[in-house]
Amino acid sequence: EAGYPPPAGPRAARRGRGAEGGGGFARLVLSVLTIGGARGAALLRAGAPSAFPWALPPLAGRMLAAAAAAFAVLGVRVLERPTPARVGLHAIAAEVYLAPLVVAIVALHLERFDWSRPVSWGFFAIATFLALGAARLVGRDPAAVAPDRAVVAVYGLVAVAHGALALALFLVPATPIPWLFPWAADPLTSRLIAVMPATLAASLLLAARDRSLVADVGWFAFTYGVGVVVASAMQVAAGKPLLGVYIAVFGLGGLAGGWGAWRERRPA
């Protein structure tokens, strides 16, 4: 009839799907994050010297591997159904993780990098691309529906605990308290570890406002929590001190994430 738009064909449908997921650029950024996380987790877990631009203590390397695995899990879930809210979640997670770390490295730690190693150039190239690329994708759904009060309360409390630990590790990394700052002689590594709890804190707060993100953030926190608990157990098995604060914060965070993902196992 007159005045009606023509029916949408396959090309229009493809355009609609691209807009929903942020387009091809969004998928490129998400894919680099996801593939990089999966590959980085495997290399770091194996202790490959080419995996990172500076030498990491065993515990820090395992915790970084857990963070990489968590980003890979989150990326797979987002790429499976890249709604604007989920793409925005992944972008904010990448920004919180990468931007403070890159700024701190440039301002305070450039002397730690050996520029004769390709991995140093690769680290900065990939981190810069992802930080700038993710910034274009940051956003959230203004019509988001809040989750149940129990989820809001649990995720909010866990976010506060993660945020407090992140601030301590990032701002006062050389504090001589071994059970809380095991990398006091290596402030760069301490700040590297700090950005993951900061990322989890931001992600948990986003999920506390948008029910569609609860399960994704739950799996994100669960993967990292399990990884840190395993890393801590290996630390104890090697005769090193037990870091009870890390097990408490990240282990409970993992349990909270698993609980949230279980509650939202049905589509929101």
Side-chain angles (χ1 to χ4, degrees):
E1 296 178 9
Y4 255 142
R11 184 177 300 176
R14 286 196 297 269
R15 284 200 302 270
R17 287 195 296 270
E20 180 186 33
F25 181 76
R27 291 179 180 272
L28 173 63
V29 173
L30 292 173
S31 296
V32 172
L33 278 165
T34 304
I35 296 170
R39 179 169 173 77
L43 291 173
L44 288 162
R45 185 67 184 81
S50 62
F52 214 64
W54 72 88
L56 294 173
L59 176 61
R62 295 183 188 113
M63 291 180 70
L64 183 59
F71 266 99
V73 168
L74 179 62
V76 168
R77 291 184 60 86
V78 173
L79 284 168
E80 183 182 32
R81 188 165 60 89
T83 65
R86 299 174 101 194
V87 171
L89 163 68
H90 208 255
I92 290 173
E95 283 297 303
V96 176
Y97 191 92
L98 291 170
L101 182 61
V102 171
V103 170
I105 287 172
V106 172
L108 302 170
H109 303 292
L110 272 181
E111 78 285 352
R112 292 288 302 276
F113 287 77
D114 180 357
W115 299 105
S116 66
R117 300 180 64 204
V119 68
S120 297
W121 294 99
F123 172 83
F124 276 100
I126 294 172
T128 301
F129 166 73
L130 291 176
L132 295 177
R136 293 180 51 186
L137 309 177
V138 170
R140 68 182 188 88
D141 184 2
V145 176
D148 296 341
R149 290 183 179 179
V151 174
V152 173
V154 171
Y155 274 27
L157 288 172
V158 174
V160 169
H162 281 67
L165 181 56
L167 285 173
L169 287 169
F170 198 90
L171 297 179
V172 287
T175 304
I177 305 176
W179 55 267
L180 186 57
F181 298 91
W183 306 282
D186 187 359
L188 175 55
T189 295
S190 185
R191 291 185 169 113
L192 170 69
I193 299 302
V195 291
M196 189 58 184
T199 301
L200 287 168
S203 301
L204 288 160
L205 290 176
L206 286 174
R209 301 181 63 178
D210 187 343
R211 184 182 174 187
S212 71
L213 304 178
V214 169
D216 297 317
V217 174
W219 282 111
F220 192 40
F222 178 79
T223 304
Y224 187 67
V226 169
V228 171
V229 170
V230 171
S232 301
M234 294 177 70
Q235 179 86 343
V236 173
K240 303 291 182 63
L242 174 68
L243 299 177
V245 172
Y246 288 72
I247 291 180
V249 172
F250 299 123
L252 291 176
L255 288 175
W259 168 80
W262 177 80
R263 280 178 62 97
E264 295 297 322
R265 61 193 181 280
R266 297 178 303 276

